[in-house]
Amino acid sequence: MEQSEVVKRVVGILTEAGEIRRLLEENVDRDDVQPDSSVVTALLNETMPRITIPEDATIEEVAVLVGREVGGAVEQLVGAFTLAFAMLAQVHDSGQTDVSSADVLQDLALRAEQIGSGGPEDTDS
């Protein structure tokens, strides 16, 4: 999966979490608000590679193969969540009260294509 798509999916997960938080702040006793864990599961399933392990592979070979194959997917996910966190933290730390977390996430989603083509440094404006 392209990094830009991972970033967009992460923004969706964080946006949903923010909406759930907002609804619960309005009424803590709500029982109709539940996070949709299938969104995270779907992202993991789509991001993680399919690994074919040879029948005669040793434990060490399996560990190396899985580490190599899964490592890139984990880096993508961590990178997307880290980028979102850094952008949210930057706005928070700057004291900007006219920009909401939803605004920051929306901007990140719109700029995700740049991330896929040129790296996270393209998000600085």
Side-chain angles (χ1 to χ4, degrees), residues 11-31:
V11 166
I13 290 167
L14 294 175
T15 300
E16 178 186 357
E19 180 63 15
I20 290 170
R21 179 196 50 81
R22 187 189 64 73
L23 292 171
L24 289 174
E25 282 177 353
E26 288 176 1
N27 181 359
V28 129
D29 296 326
R30 288 183 77 133
D31 60 359

Side-chain angles (χ1 to χ4, degrees), residues 63-81:
V64 168
L65 178 63
V66 170
R68 183 180 63 234
E69 295 297 319
V70 172
V74 170
E75 285 179 18
Q76 273 191 311
L77 291 169
V78 170
F81 276 103

Side-chain angles (χ1 to χ4, degrees):
M1 180 180 291
E2 292 291 323
Q3 186 65 20
S4 60
E5 181 62 26
V6 174
V7 169
K8 290 176 190 175
R9 300 283 291 277
V10 164
V11 166
I13 290 167
L14 294 175
T15 300
E16 178 186 357
E19 180 63 15
I20 290 170
R21 179 196 50 81
R22 187 189 64 73
L23 292 171
L24 289 174
E25 282 177 353
E26 288 176 1
N27 181 359
V28 129
D29 296 326
R30 288 183 77 133
D31 60 359
D32 64 332
V33 179
Q34 295 294 322
D36 184 4
S37 62
S38 66
V39 175
V40 175
T41 301
L43 177 60
L44 289 172
N45 287 336
E46 292 173 23
T47 306
M48 292 298 153
R50 305 282 185 250
I51 303 171
T52 303
I53 299 174
E55 290 180 28
D56 61 343
T58 66
I59 292 174
E60 292 82 13
E61 291 169 335
V62 170
V64 168
L65 178 63
V66 170
R68 183 180 63 234
E69 295 297 319
V70 172
V74 170
E75 285 179 18
Q76 273 191 311
L77 291 169
V78 170
F81 276 103
T82 301
L83 177 60
F85 173 82
M87 289 182 72
L88 289 163
Q90 180 182 22
V91 170
H92 174 272
D93 292 350
S94 72
Q96 296 179 39
T97 57
D98 61 331
V99 179
S100 70
S101 59
D103 294 335
V104 174
L105 292 172
Q106 182 180 24
D107 181 58
L108 177 56
L110 293 172
R111 297 167 68 180
E113 291 304 319
Q114 295 172 350
I115 293 162
S117 63
E121 63 277 359
D122 284 350
T123 63
D124 295 335
S125 305

